[in-house]
Amino acid sequence: MRAGQFTKLLMAGATAVATAACGGGGSGIAFNPPPPVTPTPTPTPTPTPTPAVTPTASGTPLSAPPAGVTATTNLASIGILHDIRWNAALQAYEVSVGPYSNAQIKAKTADAGPYGQSGTIVAADGSEPYGLLAWTGLSFTRFGYYYNRANSSAGGSYAFGLLTPAGAVPTTGTATYTAQLDGSAYKSSGEEWWGVTGTASFLFDFGGGTLSGHMNPELTSAWDPPPKVPVYNFTTTVFAVGSTTFSGGFDVTGPTPGSFQGQFTGPNAQELMAGFAAPYFDTTLNSWGVLQGVMAGKR
């Protein structure tokens, strides 16, 4: 299991423990304060203690379809998962990954926390070859990391969602989308080395047909301190008025150029998802490598 993946699973487990510790039902642990000092002979009632608030997962959980979807619907995907659809009869996502087709994503609700949810991919033969982690907070898009249970060092990031139809992207005004990253950092030899998190910002001028922004990745590790990487400003962006897709490059140069390609999701482009690949210089190895993963966010 990669260091970054181990860190993510620890985070998911920590949030699950926190949720369980709060009782799971929102009651929490109430502490009765001491009676207040009464300055007059008229007694003052003791204030009613406020119950602790239990965090709950926001956005669309793995066990539910994208917002507004009620029938079997094909979804667009980026990354390692393919041929994704919501099967209304089964009330489950169906995916193709590796040698498996029409496998189902099953959520492990006991592992749900305020920021993420773990799950498993169940193949047609009943086996569970892959596990996955999905981040919550979005309504029309899902994204996260999957790993092979037989070879935990093999895995990759994914995103899927309900594409914005043609003609539904705004053609006036501007909007800023804040996105989260999920990915991996690879050595020049191709070996996975660090996990990748961080944020990205997309500024669209819908009326002018322009896109600017930046990606701010952070490398993660459960053991050794990872190197720092710079902010990647967008360059050579491509976005036309009314387009449902967009793309661009980065100002960080290396042996190979970087790029990203994305799509709007939601009935009116409320969210977006994109795949990215970019060079980075690893100061611990004194060599160049590649950042690779997905971005997903909302305005």
Side-chain angles (χ1 to χ4, degrees), residues 50-65:
T50 302
V53 177
T54 302
T56 57
S58 59
T60 304
L62 281 171
S63 55

Side-chain angles (χ1 to χ4, degrees), residues 9 13 38 52 64-65 77 84 99 110 169 203 209-210 215 223 235-236 238 247 257 262 264-265 271 274-275 280 298:
L9 292 178
T38 306
S77 64
I84 300 176
V169 175
L203 175 58
T210 63
M215 179 177 75
W223 295 281
T235 62
T236 60
V238 177
S247 63
F264 290 111
T265 53
E271 298 174 359
Y280 80 103
K298 61 185 178 179

Side-chain angles (χ1 to χ4, degrees), residues 69-75 85-92 94:
V69 172
T70 58
T72 296
T73 305
N74 293 327
L75 304 172
R85 70 172 182 167
W86 171 257
N87 188 317
L90 297 176
Q91 288 293 290
E94 292 183 320

Side-chain angles (χ1 to χ4, degrees), residues 97-165:
V97 56
Y100 302 96
S101 299
N102 296 322
Q104 293 182 32
I105 294 178
K106 297 291 187 181
K108 292 188 173 181
T109 55
D111 294 336
Y115 305 111
Q117 185 176 52
S118 63
T120 187
I121 296 179
V122 181
D125 61 5
S127 63
E128 300 182 6
Y130 304 108
L132 56 82
L133 182 67
W135 301 113
T136 58
L138 300 174
S139 298
F140 308 99
T141 318
R142 300 296 292 165
F143 73 110
Y145 188 86
Y146 109 107
Y147 59 95
N148 189 324
R149 296 186 190 279
N151 179 12
S152 58
S153 63
S157 298
Y158 68 88
F160 62 87
L162 183 66
L163 282 187
T164 301

Side-chain angles (χ1 to χ4, degrees), residues 63-283:
S63 55
V69 172
T70 58
T72 296
T73 305
N74 293 327
L75 304 172
S77 64
I78 295 174
I80 203 73
L81 304 181
H82 302 281
D83 304 324
I84 300 176
R85 70 172 182 167
W86 171 257
N87 188 317
L90 297 176
Q91 288 293 290
Y93 290 107
E94 292 183 320
V95 304
S96 294
V97 56
Y100 302 96
S101 299
N102 296 322
Q104 293 182 32
I105 294 178
K106 297 291 187 181
K108 292 188 173 181
T109 55
D111 294 336
Y115 305 111
Q117 185 176 52
S118 63
T120 187
I121 296 179
V122 181
D125 61 5
S127 63
E128 300 182 6
Y130 304 108
L132 56 82
L133 182 67
W135 301 113
T136 58
L138 300 174
S139 298
F140 308 99
T141 318
R142 300 296 292 165
F143 73 110
Y145 188 86
Y146 109 107
Y147 59 95
N148 189 324
R149 296 186 190 279
N151 179 12
S152 58
S153 63
S157 298
Y158 68 88
F160 62 87
L162 183 66
L163 282 187
T164 301
V169 175
T171 55
T172 60
T174 64
T176 298
Y177 293 72
T178 300
Q180 182 179 337
L181 275 60
D182 192 290
S184 302
Y186 295 88
K187 293 181 181 181
S188 57
S189 62
E191 178 186 355
E192 189 175 5
W193 196 238
W194 311 100
V196 176
T197 61
T199 59
S201 180
F202 296 79
L203 175 58
F204 288 92
D205 183 337
F206 291 125
T210 63
L211 166 63
S212 60
H214 65 271
M215 179 177 75
N216 189 15
E218 297 179 13
L219 305 189
T220 64
S221 171
W223 295 281
D224 301 323
K228 300 292 185 181
V229 293
V231 173
Y232 289 66
N233 295 301
F234 295 169
T235 62
T236 60
T237 55
V238 177
F239 171 65
V241 175
S243 176
T244 59
T245 63
F246 52 88
S247 63
F250 302 108
D251 64 350
V252 175
T253 59
T256 57
S259 64
F260 64 90
Q261 297 83 34
Q263 302 165 299
F264 290 111
T265 53
N268 298 109
Q270 293 94 330
E271 298 174 359
L272 57 72
M273 61 182 184
F276 69 88
Y280 80 103
F281 189 78
D282 193 326
T283 54

